Amino acid sequence: MPRAEITPEGYLEVFGPFAVVTDDNIGEDWIIEGVELEKFLKNNFASASHDGSSSLTLTSGSKRFALLRRVKANLLAAPFLYWSWKISAFNGDEHPVRLIVGFHGGNPKSGSWSSQPLTYLGTNLPPHDRIIALTWNRDAARRGNVIRVSRIPRYVARGGNVSVSWASENINLAALYRKIWPWDEHVNTRVMFIGFSARATAKSTQAEFADLVLSK
């Protein structure tokens, strides 16, 4: 299956001005899981623009879903993840829409395919043995914390009250991985997919994203 690869300089635009995703232009290296394509495009997805670049709006609904791009990158060769987002008001402690990154090769106990994380997803995903979710939490003091209450660790990339302004993030993904799984074989860890997921909610809740980049 096709996968987006980093450049020799260690750069991969997952989603942005040169990697546009619209309802009539979702490439073969993108995966939609959890809902049917037609329903996803109607109820959960919209494309727009931000500062002259493309952006997308994801809306949670009655079913959880994921929009993920298959990628091929050694984590240590492109350790930084940059993105912009604008979050709408939400219920609960954590916004239902988040970024998600899948890895393979670091866990010395893993086989060729993971059998636990994201079990609601289909088999179109590449092999993966670790997953990190990057979230927005209501409590601003939790920014930078790792929350481990499920099989998928959640890193609070930003917290506090939502606003009408866009926020930009730039995190060291390799350092975060090392913090969560210090005994893994980090030199062998590869990024296998990057994208977005949303849990099911009774009330539709939106998040906008732009300029999602993996870099050296």
Side-chain angles (χ1 to χ4, degrees):
M1 294 184 180
R3 295 163 61 188
E5 298 188 34
I6 61 170
T7 68
E9 296 77 24
Y11 182 89
L12 173 59
E13 184 179 288
V14 181
F15 168 76
F18 300 105
V20 179
V21 179
T22 64
D23 56 3
D24 59 356
N25 180 33
I26 298 179
E28 293 182 357
D29 48 9
W30 284 90
I31 308 162
I32 300 169
E33 295 284 359
V35 295
E36 297 176 0
L37 174 61
E38 183 177 344
K39 292 182 179 178
F40 173 78
L41 295 177
K42 179 181 179 180
N43 301 321
N44 308 112
F45 176 90
S47 57
S49 62
H50 167 62
D51 281 350
S53 179
S54 60
S55 66
L56 59 84
T57 301
L58 296 175
T59 305
S60 68
S62 59
K63 292 185 178 181
R64 51 189 176 180
F65 67 83
L67 173 66
L68 306 168
R69 191 177 188 188
R70 302 185 195 92
V71 303
K72 184 178 182 181
N74 184 285
L75 178 59
L76 299 183
F80 292 97
L81 186 66
Y82 172 90
W83 74 95
S84 296
W85 54 356
K86 187 170 72 170
I87 301 296
S88 68
F90 61 97
N91 295 324
D93 294 332
E94 187 178 276
H95 199 282
V97 184
R98 76 280 301 271
L99 277 155
I100 193 164
V101 185
F103 309 87
H104 187 261
N107 184 357
K109 298 180 180 180
S110 69
S112 59
W113 285 88
S114 171
S115 60
Q116 294 184 349
L118 295 186
T119 53
Y120 67 93
L121 300 180
T123 58
N124 289 324
L125 287 174
H128 58 282
D129 51 30
R130 302 294 197 195
I131 294 176
I132 297 174
L134 307 170
T135 69
W136 187 300
N137 195 282
R138 186 174 301 281
D139 185 356
R142 304 201 73 171
R143 184 178 183 182
N145 288 1
V146 175
I147 302 173
R148 303 172 185 256
V149 295
S150 68
R151 292 171 296 184
I152 301 176
R154 304 200 302 272
Y155 173 75
V156 181
R158 179 79 62 145
N161 294 328
V162 299
S163 69
V164 296
S165 301
W166 283 79
S168 296
E169 317 294 346
N170 188 15
I171 68 169
N172 187 327
L173 197 58
L176 177 59
Y177 184 103
R178 189 178 294 110
K179 177 181 179 180
I180 298 174
W181 298 290
W183 309 115
D184 273 17
E185 298 170 353
H186 304 110
V187 69
N188 296 325
T189 302
R190 300 181 300 278
V191 182
M192 306 300 289
F193 56 82
I194 303 176
F196 318 92
S197 71
R199 68 175 186 269
T201 56
K203 180 181 179 181
S204 297
T205 308
Q206 292 185 338
E208 299 178 65
F209 295 92
D211 301 321
L212 178 57
V213 173
L214 193 65
S215 66
K216 185 174 181 179

